[in-house]
Amino acid sequence: MKPSDFLAPDLIRLNLQSSTKEEVLKELVWMLDVREEYRPILLDMVLQREALGSTGLGEGVAIPHGRSLIVNHLHLVCGISKKGIYFQAIDRKKVHLFFLVIAPHREVSNQYLPLLGSIAKLASDPENIERLRNAETPEQCLEILEQICS
């Protein structure tokens, strides 16, 4: 599973406006292609997941994620913060690159964990992170993800 398999230009935001962990999670959840009334429920679920431990991997990357009964397929959005956000990442540095993954509670297609692994793998290379941070358009971001994860 590659991130580019689940993303489209409208699911990528190159200039997140948030300045706190809670704000960025809300901004990401509101990017999801789900019914408006589901968004507060999904935000609460993501915040609860974060309370268990930060999904900030370090090196400027976070993968907030969770499973929910209110979605029927896997959702992924990507956001880039130029200024960075303190996200309680493992290395205590600001996070610039966010991938929010929401999967169905019972997912028979087995895409959730492989997708998380794929994102974590690309995030392990600082050069990949820098290339994504410097993308000038959502389309360019998708192209970079396709190259990195091919």
Side-chain angles (χ1 to χ4, degrees):
M1 298 290 103
K2 301 181 297 188
S4 56
D5 294 339
F6 298 94
L7 288 171
D10 63 323
L11 300 174
I12 299 171
R13 184 163 300 155
L14 298 181
N15 194 13
L16 293 170
Q17 299 301 304
S18 302
S19 59
T20 67
K21 183 175 187 172
E22 292 76 17
E23 288 173 358
V24 77
L25 290 172
K26 182 176 181 180
E27 191 172 350
L28 292 166
V29 167
W30 260 248
M31 290 171 59
L32 292 168
D33 183 21
V34 296
R35 291 173 49 174
E36 191 171 333
E37 61 266 25
Y38 291 167
R39 291 179 179 150
I41 299 165
L42 292 172
L43 176 60
D44 186 55
M45 181 267 304
V46 171
L47 288 169
Q48 286 181 32
R49 166 58 190 87
E50 284 297 319
L52 298 174
S54 178
T55 56
L57 302 179
E59 300 299 327
V61 179
I63 313 173
H65 61 276
R67 293 183 181 267
S68 175
L69 293 169
I70 62 176
V71 297
N72 59 12
H73 66 277
L74 192 134
H75 291 268
L76 173 65
V77 296
C78 175
I80 299 171
S81 171
K82 301 296 183 189
K83 60 185 177 276
I85 297 167
Y86 285 108
F87 202 79
Q88 300 167 320
I90 195 164
D91 62 1
R92 301 184 190 273
K93 295 181 182 176
K94 287 185 176 182
V95 172
H96 295 271
L97 188 57
F98 297 87
F99 292 91
L100 172 65
V101 182
I102 305 293
H105 184 67
R106 291 201 171 158
E107 184 206 11
V108 294
S109 61
N110 193 31
Q111 298 173 322
Y112 179 60
L113 293 177
L115 178 60
L116 290 176
S118 176
I119 296 169
K121 184 177 177 187
L122 80 85
S124 67
D125 184 340
E127 185 177 308
N128 292 340
I129 297 163
E130 194 62 28
R131 287 179 65 200
L132 289 166
R133 281 183 60 189
N134 292 323
E136 295 181 10
T137 65
E139 292 81 8
Q140 185 182 30
C141 187
L142 275 173
E143 288 174 21
I144 293 167
L145 282 168
E146 188 64 38
Q147 292 167 6
I148 292 171
C149 299
S150 60

